[in-house]
Amino acid sequence: CDSPQLDDHAVIVALDYSNAYSTSLLDSAARATLMLIKWVEQLDEATRTRLAIKDVSEVVKAAEATLDDLAFLRTHHGEVLTVVDGHLERFAVLLGFTQGGLFSMVCFCIAVCFLVLKPLKEEFSEIAPKCIADDAHVPTVIREVPHIERLARWCHRYVTLSIRELNLSANARKFKILQSQRWVSTELDVARYIKLFPSQMHEGVRKYPTVVRGALKVNGVGVGF
């Protein structure tokens, strides 16, 4: 799925968190950062080399710095300035991170990695999402119907873990599933199984992910068949 020309068995699911930074639970993010510290301290030499970690203590210090920031936000909260109807207004941030904050992206990525993506990887070892902050896509290969069913279960688990662990709405109705035109009306047509995937009520109507046959914009780059 990483080659410039996609194999026609490839399927990519584009994910879309809603208000990712501002709704994240700070306590959960702190818990995930503690998990990171414990994890990195237990790495063997081969894994540290593969991940290009030269000094574990530096990683721990960086993680502890994010914990300091989280503790400050959790204790004192933050404030955001923004323009409302032409006037500068100040709002307290009682939940989540401030997008653009010094440690916001680092904290968010650690939290999603350890509380959502790591459990998913342990359960669905063949599926490896690609993420840049809150933008993510899930490349996989569909060669038989059980692969579609397994991808749908992955998506359901992603939605469940996101809301349970971090208070994040995964916005299932905005998922986009890229699949080659070749499979339209065949046994492997994802559209035939769309109701296996998570859905979301919107304006009184149940919405399912959209199947796309041409191309997706993945982290700003067009990917398609």
Side-chain angles (χ1 to χ4, degrees), residues 104-153:
S104 294
M105 181 182 290
V106 175
C107 292
F108 177 84
C109 290
I110 291 172
V112 172
C113 178
F114 276 85
L115 299 180
V116 179
L117 300 181
K118 188 173 183 292
L120 281 168
K121 184 64 175 175
E122 291 167 352
E123 187 175 348
F124 302 87
S125 59
E126 77 283 9
I127 299 178
K130 315 289 186 181
C131 307
I132 299 178
D134 59 329
D135 291 325
H137 66 285
V138 185
T140 190
V141 175
I142 302 297
R143 297 190 183 279
E144 53 190 56
V145 173
H147 294 161
I148 299 175
E149 296 168 344
R150 188 160 172 80
L151 178 60
R153 289 198 299 274

Side-chain angles (χ1 to χ4, degrees), residues 18-24 93 95-98:
S18 178
N19 301 316
Y21 284 77
S22 61
T23 61
S24 299
V93 180
L95 180 73
F97 305 104
T98 301

